[in-house]
Structures are given as structure tokens and as C-alpha cells.
Amino acid sequence: MKQAIGIDLGATELRAALVDESGAVLAYEKVKTNKIGGPESVLAQMENLVANVKGRNEVTGVGVAAPGPLNSETGIVLDPPTLPGWKNFELRRVLASRLQMPVSLNNDANAAAYGEWRFGGGRGSRHLVYITVSTGIGGGVVAGGRLLLGHGGFAAELGHMSIALDGPMCLCGHLGCWESLASGTALAKFAEEAVRECQSSLMIDLACGGPIQAHHVGAAAAQGDPLALSLLQDEARYLTVGLINVLHLFAPEIVLIGGGVAASFPLMKPTILEGIQKRAMPSYRQIPIQRAELEDPGVVGAAALAMDAEAGKLEQYYFSESAPKF
């Protein structure tokens, strides 16, 4: 049975797993990302993780899921805001040279979408959208059984859809992005503002004197805290606006929600579905919106991309200036 290694390069954690062609995780390790040390330190961490999870097993290659922007065609990380010192870094070429094995590089949300499509909640579908709602909002699209990457691999930056003309400033430098209103970071910000006015909420106790995070909102809401429940309903409404855009743009068979905020999806789902029934065009109202299944879809998806690329089974939609004009 074929095996590959998936790596998820996060700004906080670096995770790696040995994955077989059924999607089973055979070995798994994670470390805190030494991003202060720049690419050289992180590459050394990657080498150690690969050696540890690989052991004596034969692998077809290594897939890396990394934060954007990056060019998955050239294997170059462009200028990720969460990883200082990585501007225009040839990650695929350098890591392949050091590991002496094939390496593929993809946006982390695209890799997660592929993992869910191959082995998770999207199994059996041909048209899927995966959305991760965490520190930011990312997205990946499978269209017609192919991973949709677009020109340079830049497609499906769903978190930077503008859903409000005069909304909050996003980290990308623009106003009203979906990410600036519905990400875990945004939810935490709205929670901090709310408790300053209210001064009475279980969220304060759960934060233990520190800043309130999105998971505190979810935990307090699960215990019936009125303010946290109200914040989650606002979060659900912001998510709904973007989800309706996604439904109209891609007409998927299913939409899967992952990331840390997805832990509160059961509490938000009724509001989301009600909003879709009211605001989406009739043909799109019955598309399932569900929580993603895989525990670590980025790592599993990265490994699957490496296996499928090596086997010649990977199909990806790229759009470029050289594409035929119709």
C-alpha cells in the first residue's frame, strides 16, 4: 500500500504525518514552529519530523500545506504575513533537495479541501467547497473532481470576499472582508468589546484573566451564556453572507466547514440554514452545509496530493494566459 508524508506548515505549529492511500494516519508528530529562526530553522524542523514519522517505511513523496500567498505551480512561497522572512522562498525545490524525494506544495486550505474530498466528508462528490474558519478564513474548491487552483494557484481566497462596503479593516489592507467579520480572530475581538460593556459573562471566567478567544465564546455558549450565544448568532449571520456567495459562485454538492470555530457549528447551523433559505436563490437552498470530518485535513490532504501527483492521478484546474481562448 502506498504511503506519503504530509506536512502542515503553520505559524504556530508544524505538523507531519505518515498517511497511507486509504487516508489512515500511521504516524504523527507536531512541534512549535520556530518561525523566528526563518526558513532555515523551520526546514531543519521539517527534516526531523519527516525522519521521525517515516521511520523505515517507503514513501512516494512529501506534500506540504502552507499559508498563502504561494504559487503551487512553481513551488514558491511568496510573502505570507504569518511567516516573516519567507518572501519568494523556493520551498518545494529546497526541501526536495534536502530530503532527496519528490515534494509538492499547496495552499493549506486547498490541501484541506482535497483531504476532505478524498477521505472525509466529501467522499463520493465531484463538486465540493471546504471553508476553514480559524485565525482567518480560507477556502478550497473541488470542481468536477479536480482541485481548482486558478492562475498561479491563487484561486479560492474566500476569506477576502468583500461582504461589507465599510466593514472592519482586514489584515490584507482592505475593508469589509469576510475574514475581518467572521474569522475566529474577529469573533474574539467582538467578544472583548462586548464584555467591556457588559462586564458579566462566563467568557471572562473561562479566559482566566487573559484575552478572550473564539474557543472561550464557543465554550460559554455551550453552557448557555446569553452574551456568548448572542455573539455566536452574529457570527452565524456573518458566515451566512459569505456562504450564500459561495453557493452561488460554485454550486457545490456539499459545503464543509472546518477550523477551530467549526466546533460551535451545531449552535450556529439553524441560523445559517434559516439565512440561506431566505436569501439564496431557490436552486441553491438544499445544498448541505456540514462540519468537516477529518481531525487534521491539511496534513492528510497534503499527503494525498503527494501520493496522487506521483501516481499521475492528480487533476488540477489552472488558468493562465497561455490557456486557449474561447
Side-chain angles (χ1 to χ4, degrees), residues 19-255:
V19 180
D20 70 20
E21 59 187 347
S22 74
V25 175
L26 307 177
Y28 180 91
E29 284 199 14
K30 64 181 180 179
V31 296
K32 185 177 180 180
T33 306
N34 186 14
K35 64 179 181 180
I36 301 301
E40 181 56 38
S41 294
V42 176
L43 283 166
Q45 290 181 299
M46 287 183 178
E47 287 185 272
N48 287 333
L49 286 175
V50 167
N52 292 343
V53 299
K54 178 179 180 295
R56 296 178 178 274
N57 295 283
E58 292 292 325
V59 298
T60 60
V62 174
V64 180
L70 59 82
N71 189 321
S72 52
E73 292 184 73
T74 62
I76 296 175
V77 175
L78 299 177
D79 193 14
T82 56
L83 293 173
W86 287 74
K87 186 173 183 179
N88 296 328
F89 186 76
E90 295 182 84
L91 177 56
R92 185 175 67 195
R93 180 187 63 79
V94 174
L95 187 60
S97 175
R98 293 174 72 146
L99 296 176
Q100 290 297 293
M101 65 178 71
V103 171
S104 65
L105 174 67
N106 276 276
N107 176 280
D108 47 10
N110 286 336
Y114 198 77
E116 283 288 339
W117 178 65
R118 288 278 273 108
F119 303 120
R123 289 187 308 275
S125 68
R126 286 182 56 77
H127 309 280
L128 167 147
V129 175
Y130 171 86
I131 298 163
T132 178
V133 187
S134 189
T135 303
I137 291 181
V141 177
V142 174
R146 300 183 182 185
L147 188 62
L148 177 65
L149 299 180
H151 176 64
F154 302 145
E157 279 291 349
L158 301 180
H160 298 289
M161 292 187 296
S162 180
I163 67 167
L165 289 175
D166 55 356
M169 179 67 72
C170 184
L171 287 176
C172 72
H174 299 286
L175 296 173
C177 291
W178 196 21
E179 181 172 299
S180 73
L181 288 159
S183 65
T185 301
L187 178 58
K189 176 186 173 184
F190 293 143
E192 286 279 3
E193 294 170 352
V195 297
R196 277 199 296 269
E197 295 180 10
C198 179
Q199 292 297 317
S200 177
S201 172
L202 179 58
M203 293 183 290
I204 299 172
D205 299 331
L206 292 172
C208 299
I212 294 173
Q213 303 292 335
H215 66 90
H216 298 136
V217 181
Q223 297 181 55
D225 181 79
L227 184 57
L229 284 167
S230 175
L231 287 163
L232 271 192
Q233 294 314 298
D234 289 341
E235 168 73 10
R237 284 186 280 270
Y238 286 131
L239 284 174
T240 301
V241 176
L243 284 168
I244 291 168
N245 291 336
V246 166
L247 295 178
H248 289 162
L249 281 168
F250 299 109
E253 293 171 70
I254 187 170
V255 176

